[in-house]
Amino acid sequence: MRRVMVVAALVASAALVAACSGGDSSVSSTHRKRSTKPTTTTTTLPAKPTVQVAQSPLGAILVDENGLTLYQLDTDTATAVTCTGACATTWPPLTVKGAPVAGAGADPALLSTLDTASGKQVTYAGHPLYRFSGDQSAGQTNGFGVGGVWWVLAADGTKVAPPPPPPATQAQVAPAPTSPPTQAPPPPPPPPPSMGSPGYSY
């Protein structure tokens, strides 16, 4: 009788252990399923170009990210700008918050910035860059030559300006032909001396 009771106790203990083990497995499996998160892929978009090169009626010139023509001012230097106040309203400076980005055709080695009253103004080959309020769409160059000081830049940073006019040439005027001096005709020869009547002797 005692042996039967021992066997029954062992069977009950085994069942209890199996039940506990099964419960733990279920909980662990559920936990693993809940902790699984979907994998997301982040795509980094390329930065928009600050300065790029585009074709225009003036040839290949610098433009901004929207294709608007960029200008340089003859009175500026690589370390100072002269277009401020009302001038900067008509000619908005090209500024950035970070580092400028070179787009198609632009040389990144020529890009830099200059601290001005308007912010970090972009420079290219030492030329502070501006837009023109008179340009309303890409490709327009209405600011070219304004005041004889506003010009555009080529991809190598050289100023694009109209060539100087050729030196004035004076027309060679042929002298009018001169007629020989008019001389009065020579006077007629004097009449021969009159001869008296021949004399006769008687």
Side-chain angles (χ1 to χ4, degrees):
M1 184 68 178
R2 183 176 298 175
R3 185 176 298 175
V4 173
M5 293 178 63
V6 171
V7 172
L10 291 175
V11 171
S13 297
L16 180 60
V17 170
C20 292
S21 174
D24 289 344
S25 176
S26 175
V27 172
S28 176
S29 176
T30 302
H31 179 71
R32 284 196 300 270
K33 289 181 180 180
R34 289 181 180 177
S35 63
T36 303
K37 295 182 180 179
T39 302
T40 57
T41 303
T42 302
T43 303
T44 302
L45 297 176
K48 289 185 177 181
T50 309
V51 176
Q52 55 189 337
V53 176
Q55 289 295 327
S56 76
L58 302 172
I61 61 173
L62 297 185
V63 298
D64 69 2
E65 63 180 273
N66 299 314
L68 293 175
T69 301
L70 295 172
Y71 299 87
Q72 66 92 50
L73 177 59
D74 281 347
T75 55
D76 283 353
T77 67
T79 57
V81 297
T82 56
C83 182
T84 59
C87 175
T89 301
T90 304
W91 301 88
L94 178 65
T95 59
V96 291
K97 292 183 178 179
V101 178
D107 187 348
L110 299 179
L111 274 176
S112 187
T113 58
L114 176 65
D115 291 331
T116 68
S118 301
K120 293 177 64 176
Q121 187 164 346
V122 180
T123 65
Y124 194 86
H127 300 283
L129 300 179
Y130 303 81
R131 301 181 183 94
F132 179 49
S133 59
D135 290 340
Q136 301 300 318
S137 60
Q140 293 184 336
T141 56
N142 298 319
F144 181 75
V146 171
V149 293
W150 290 97
W151 312 104
V152 298
L153 293 172
D156 60 358
T158 57
K159 182 174 68 174
V160 177
T169 56
Q170 296 181 351
Q172 298 295 327
V173 179
T178 58
S179 57
T182 304
Q183 295 180 352
S194 60
M195 302 295 292
S197 298
Y200 296 97
S201 60
Y202 298 97

